[in-house]
Amino acid sequence: MTLVTDTAVKTLLTTATTTTVRPRYEGSNICTWIGFKHVNYLVEEAVLDHFRQSGLPARALYEEHGLGLDLVTIDSRILHAFHMDDTAEAQVVPWTKDDDGTIGFKVTIQFERGGEIHKAVTSKVRVSLRIDTYLEAAGEVPEQLARFAVATLGDDLEREAPVAAPAEEEILASLTAGRNAYAWKWNIPYPYCHFTERIQMSGYLRLMEEGKDRFVADRGISIKTLLDDRRWIPVVPRSDIRILDEALMEEDLYTVYTVEEVFKDFTYTSRMDFYVLRDGELVKTATGRIVHGYAVIENRRDWSLVNFDQRVLDAVNGTPAA
């Protein structure tokens, strides 16, 4: 049995750890480069291993204390591209203030290539311990962790007020009205969930990736279109996502991808908002941003960043020429 001790919690909150991480094969979709979603998976794995090294692994927290370990915020900058088979070192530095209701970490991932050390990723992460209510109660929450334990994800935040929803068939139109946006409705399947009932952080990361794919296809510049036309691939220097409330298995999730800013002809920033319909109201369950650029494939090993041309600018901006 894992005991939640003062020493273990102090280690969790004050002692930095390092762990070796390697991107998964699945994340290598274009040549041998690893996409942003799987880079964030490395950040998640480093945080989970920090809990293990502190003597408070996620499995024991749930099985013995009824506490689900949920990453509720992840804000990552990607400074160097990962390749298939890269091995990297991830350092996790605790970052929790005395009055914080979530557990915070700063994560740095670096790797060696060509005899040189590269800082590849910097990330800020926050974690909540969700009290399980699906199964029978596990007893009192250990007092050392009580301030991080929540009955519902987002309880530590000042939530946005739900808004009255129009007729269900009009929801998507209402969420995109007057915006440079794309939206879709999707029923949450169990592979995107964890702890038996709710969508997890990796599920939202998968949806962020899908949002980009859907948006550019809708604008006539799908991923394959630009690959075939000019060998352009999307790149992501930054992404962030924050869980505000819970979205449950088999609920309908409404996802809105909104272009907020186009920086010259080099990158654009999109906001993604996620809603569920409950009791006639739209409840926002998560929000985040993703910054996109484009790179041209030079060969099987190398790529370089490119400026947008007018076709891409028109598509992203939603101008009539697109």
Side-chain angles (χ1 to χ4, degrees):
M1 179 175 181
T2 297
L3 296 176
V4 178
T5 64
D6 292 340
T7 299
V9 174
K10 182 179 179 181
T11 299
L12 179 75
L13 299 180
T14 64
T15 303
T17 60
T18 59
T19 189
T20 299
V21 293
R22 174 174 284 173
R24 301 173 192 173
Y25 197 63
E26 178 198 331
S28 183
N29 307 123
I30 308 295
C31 295
T32 63
W33 306 303
I34 302 299
F36 88 97
K37 175 184 68 179
H38 278 262
V39 172
N40 279 311
Y41 287 178
L42 298 181
V43 173
E44 180 183 60
E45 178 54 37
V47 170
L48 292 173
D49 198 59
H50 179 83
F51 275 82
R52 294 187 199 105
Q53 292 189 47
S54 301
L56 299 168
R59 176 181 175 181
L61 287 173
Y62 179 76
E63 291 182 352
E64 298 172 17
H65 302 288
L67 296 174
L69 194 164
D70 274 275
L71 274 70
V72 291
T73 298
I74 183 166
D75 183 346
S76 298
R77 295 178 182 269
I78 301 174
L79 310 175
H80 286 278
F82 275 93
H83 287 245
M84 182 193 305
D85 294 330
D86 274 339
T87 299
E89 180 180 88
Q91 182 185 53
V92 179
V93 177
W95 181 50
T96 306
K97 299 177 182 178
D98 290 342
D99 58 350
D100 283 349
T102 54
I103 307 169
F105 302 102
K106 294 182 179 180
V107 181
T108 303
I109 305 179
Q110 58 186 25
F111 57 74
E112 183 272 333
R113 183 175 294 149
E116 184 178 353
I117 299 297
H118 297 277
K119 182 186 287 187
V121 184
T122 61
S123 187
K124 296 178 181 178
V125 179
R126 303 212 71 89
V127 171
S128 285
L129 301 177
R130 165 64 153 81
I131 300 169
D132 183 50
T133 52
Y134 191 84
L135 299 173
E136 64 277 2
E140 292 294 322
V141 175
E143 61 177 347
Q144 301 95 327
L145 297 174
R147 70 182 171 112
F148 307 119
V150 294
T152 305
L153 297 182
D155 278 353
D156 60 303
L157 303 172
E158 185 175 342
R159 291 191 179 96
E160 293 186 20
V163 295
E168 192 165 349
E169 63 273 13
E170 299 173 1
I171 290 176
L172 293 179
S174 71
L175 289 172
T176 57
R179 301 179 184 178
N180 181 11
Y182 173 87
W184 78 97
K185 173 185 172 182
W186 174 78
N187 190 262
I188 302 171
Y190 90 90
Y192 282 66
C193 301
H194 70 173
F195 297 118
T196 318
E197 55 182 350
R198 61 188 175 275
I199 192 169
Q200 59 177 302
M201 177 58 77
S202 64
Y204 281 116
L205 291 171
R206 291 161 75 178
L207 288 167
M208 291 185 82
E209 188 172 54
E210 182 176 351
K212 161 72 174 189
D213 187 70
R214 284 174 171 264
F215 171 75
V216 294
D218 182 68
R219 297 296 173 90
I221 55 167
S222 74
I223 305 298
K224 181 168 172 54
T225 296
L226 293 192
L227 275 171
D228 290 348
D229 285 356
R230 59 192 77 176
R231 292 186 178 177
W232 281 20
I233 59 170
V235 293
V236 178
R238 183 171 185 181
S239 66
D240 69 85
I241 184 75
R242 179 174 57 155
I243 295 176
L244 308 173
D245 207 319
E246 296 181 357
L248 305 180
M249 188 186 302
E250 296 188 4
E251 281 193 305
D252 287 332
L253 190 72
Y254 295 85
T255 302
V256 187
Y257 181 104
T258 306
V259 176
E260 288 191 319
E261 178 188 22
V262 180
F263 180 71
K264 298 183 178 179
D265 58 354
F266 201 59
T267 62
Y268 68 96
T269 301
S270 297
R271 190 180 75 250
M272 292 194 69
D273 297 306
F274 303 87
Y275 302 85
V276 294
L277 180 63
R278 292 189 187 132
D279 301 322
E281 295 181 320
L282 286 171
V283 178
K284 185 181 286 190
T285 63
T287 188
R289 285 177 172 81
I290 185 166
V291 179
H292 274 290
Y294 277 97
V296 61
I297 299 173
E298 296 178 349
N299 52 56
R300 291 187 181 90
R301 186 190 303 266
D302 302 309
W303 54 262
S304 59
L305 295 173
V306 294
N307 296 85
F308 302 160
D309 62 9
Q310 197 60 48
R311 176 187 179 188
V312 171
L313 282 170
D314 287 344
V316 169
N317 283 313
T319 57

